[in-house]
Amino acid sequence: MELKNKRIVVTGAGSGIGKETVLQMLKHENVKILACDLNEKNIVSHPNVIPYKCDVSKPESLDKLIKDADKKLGGIDIFFANAGFAYYEIIQDADWDQIDRIFRTNVYSPFYTLVTLNRKRTSPCLFVVTASAMSHLPLPGYAMYSATKAAVRSFLDAYQCELRPGNRTMIVYPIATRTKFFDSAGKKVPVPFPSQTAETVAKKIVSGILRDKTEVFPSFLFRFIQFLDRFLFFPLKIYQKIEAAKLKSHKS
């Protein structure tokens, strides 16, 4: 796929991976981007970028977003479902509202959007979603977040078989990315090792789109550790214990 002349929607575009991906996409000729965020003031200012305020945790907001994208862009060639957040915590109580809040944004939103784009539209669309390396390696402190991203990975693995001809998906598995993501997860949250920049992830995302990838792993080190664990059966368990010790120290 070429990005030239493509009509693109990016959610969570006001910071981090979303914002950097918008910047990388703008390097390609005549792209038009509807950049969505809860705070549209943080969105990149550019003639080819339309700032758009949207709460993706609500189905009516997503319906309006898709409808407005058709009006403002003339259609959708690529939809990048990037919006999401995490809690960093030792779970003390069963809080239904807290569970519902993170699942609405991280899980219900991409599920609803993908099914809507696949079933109610005739023009082909590439659906890109941020899943996180934690969908493969759940980390202590991020139980809820890891669960949401594992749900996204599992859904796309199965639902890709139901896509209409021409529609495709690409799922991205970033490791810890040095953005405001961790600030929103809690107070003075330790960033897991290894980590990478949002720019690195964004470049890998754009490269994956251009190369028609179905999966993108921005960190070679993470892929290597995964491969090593298949034969040694312990590297990932050791990593989890290290992160568990960080969690106890942070919360003490």
Side-chain angles (χ1 to χ4, degrees):
M1 173 181 282
E2 291 186 3
L3 282 178
K4 181 180 178 181
N5 298 323
K6 289 296 183 287
R7 301 159 298 180
I8 306 167
V9 177
V10 179
T11 67
S15 62
I17 293 172
K19 190 170 188 176
E20 286 295 333
T21 303
V22 169
L23 290 171
Q24 293 299 321
M25 287 175 166
L26 286 172
K27 295 180 180 181
H28 296 260
E29 185 179 348
N30 200 35
V31 295
K32 295 179 181 178
I33 303 173
L34 189 67
C36 313
D37 201 87
L38 281 170
N39 187 353
E40 74 275 23
K41 293 180 181 179
N42 295 330
I43 291 169
V44 173
S45 178
H46 189 280
N48 288 12
V49 174
I50 303 171
Y52 188 92
K53 185 174 183 177
C54 182
D55 181 355
V56 299
S57 68
K58 300 177 180 179
E60 60 271 22
S61 296
L62 291 170
D63 289 337
K64 187 175 185 301
L65 168 60
I66 293 171
K67 185 177 180 179
D68 287 346
D70 281 332
K71 290 180 180 178
K72 296 175 182 293
L73 301 177
I76 304 172
D77 299 308
I78 301 172
F79 193 108
F80 180 21
N82 171 69
F85 70 95
Y87 304 129
Y88 184 69
E89 61 182 356
I90 295 175
I91 300 173
Q92 302 290 349
D93 300 300
D95 186 330
W96 186 277
D97 290 338
Q98 184 190 35
I99 297 169
D100 185 60
R101 178 172 173 256
I102 193 169
F103 269 79
R104 276 181 173 272
T105 299
N106 292 12
V107 180
Y108 304 166
S109 175
F111 285 13
Y112 184 88
T113 304
L114 176 55
V115 173
T116 300
L117 292 173
N118 184 51
R119 301 305 303 174
K120 295 185 178 181
R121 302 173 62 85
T122 56
S123 57
C125 180
L126 168 63
F127 185 82
V128 182
V129 63
T130 306
S132 172
M134 288 192 208
S135 63
H136 288 275
L137 174 59
L139 292 183
Y142 295 98
M144 209 83 74
Y145 177 75
S146 297
T148 64
K149 294 306 181 178
V152 169
R153 176 169 66 90
S154 183
F155 181 80
L156 259 70
D157 280 348
Y159 191 68
Q160 63 180 337
C161 299
E162 301 180 37
L163 295 176
R164 289 184 172 180
N167 288 341
R168 297 189 299 109
T169 63
M170 187 181 90
I171 189 164
V172 186
Y173 300 102
I175 58 171
T177 308
R178 297 189 291 275
T179 67
K180 294 180 181 180
F181 172 87
F182 292 98
D183 294 335
S184 64
K187 187 176 180 181
K188 296 181 179 179
V189 173
V191 179
F193 173 85
S195 64
Q196 58 192 172
T197 66
E199 182 181 6
T200 297
V201 179
K203 286 180 178 179
K204 292 289 185 179
I205 290 170
V206 171
S207 175
I209 292 172
L210 296 174
R211 297 168 64 190
D212 295 332
K213 292 284 188 178
T214 57
E215 293 183 308
V216 172
F217 290 85
S219 171
F220 173 79
L221 179 58
F222 176 73
R223 289 294 277 166
F224 177 73
I225 293 173
Q226 273 191 308
F227 178 79
L228 197 65
D229 190 70
R230 291 180 184 178
F231 300 97
L232 299 180
F233 306 109
F234 65 82
L236 294 183
K237 292 297 181 183
I238 293 175
Y239 183 60
Q240 284 180 317
K241 288 182 178 180
I242 292 172
E243 292 301 322
K246 286 184 183 179
L247 175 64
K248 291 178 181 178
S249 175
H250 180 265
K251 296 300 179 180
S252 62

